């Protein structure tokens, strides 16, 4: 798969994901990841699918992979921070929320969860 084919595949997978056709989306994303294991968007969408299917540990692992890439989205950092917050990984969550804000700006959910994590560490 070349770069253009990967981009087209991810767009198609996003379409299937939005339509809640997770099996098709997952199939496409796994093909992309086979070619480019660190593709941030493919790992991110696959994480959301796994989260929706109740596979939270797999989702957490995939979000970590996605967020280690420079082209990762703001929302991936936010959802990683949310998962870290649920796991009582407060300092890591704070860093993820800050990265989300740097990439995407401030919004209520990220500010709320950042404050929650900071309160847990005594950093108010």
């Amino acid at each position: 798969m070349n770069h253009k084919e990967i981009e087209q595949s991810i767009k198609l997978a996003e379409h299937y994901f939005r339509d809640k056709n997770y099996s098709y989306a997952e199939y496409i994303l796994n093909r992309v990841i086979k070619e480019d294991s660190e593709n941030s968007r493919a790992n991110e969408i696959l994480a959301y699918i796994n989260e929706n299917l109740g596979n939270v540990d797999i989702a957490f692992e995939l979000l970590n992979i996605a967020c280690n890439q420079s082209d990762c989205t703001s929302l991936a950092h936010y959802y990683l921070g949310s998962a870290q917050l649920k796991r009582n990984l407060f300092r890591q969550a704070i860093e993820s929320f800050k990265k989300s804000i740097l990439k995407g700006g401030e919004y209520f959910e990220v500010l709320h969860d950042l404050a929650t994590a900071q309160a847990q560490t005594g950093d108010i």
Side-chain angles (χ1 to χ4, degrees), residues 43-56:
N43 280 291
E44 179 183 351
I45 299 167
L46 198 53
Y48 300 151
I49 291 169
N50 277 280
E51 177 74 28
N52 289 346
L53 295 174
N55 304 322
V56 294

Side-chain angles (χ1 to χ4, degrees), residues 73-78 93-115 118:
T73 68
S74 170
L75 283 176
H77 284 291
Y78 170 72
I94 290 168
E95 290 307 310
S96 293
F97 294 139
K98 287 180 178 179
K99 288 177 184 176
S100 178
I101 291 168
L102 285 173
K103 284 193 169 250
E106 295 179 350
Y107 50 97
F108 175 79
E109 292 86 351
V110 75
L111 292 174
H112 175 273
D113 290 351
L114 174 60
Q118 287 175 323

Side-chain angles (χ1 to χ4, degrees), residues 58-90:
I58 294 171
F60 185 72
E61 186 177 316
L62 291 165
L63 281 172
N64 272 297
I65 293 169
C67 290
N68 280 323
Q69 306 309 311
S70 62
D71 63 340
C72 180
T73 68
S74 170
L75 283 176
H77 284 291
Y78 170 72
Y79 285 115
L80 177 60
S82 294
Q84 291 164 331
L85 189 60
K86 289 176 187 172
R87 294 168 185 253
N88 297 327
L89 301 171
F90 303 119

Side-chain angles (χ1 to χ4, degrees), residues 11-27 29 45 48-53:
K11 285 182 183 182
L12 182 59
E14 286 176 328
H15 169 76
Y16 285 128
F17 171 69
R18 282 190 303 275
D19 285 347
K20 297 184 180 170
N21 193 336
Y22 299 142
S23 60
Y24 283 131
E26 190 172 19
Y27 173 77
L29 294 167
I45 299 167
Y48 300 151
I49 291 169
N50 277 280
E51 177 74 28
N52 289 346
L53 295 174

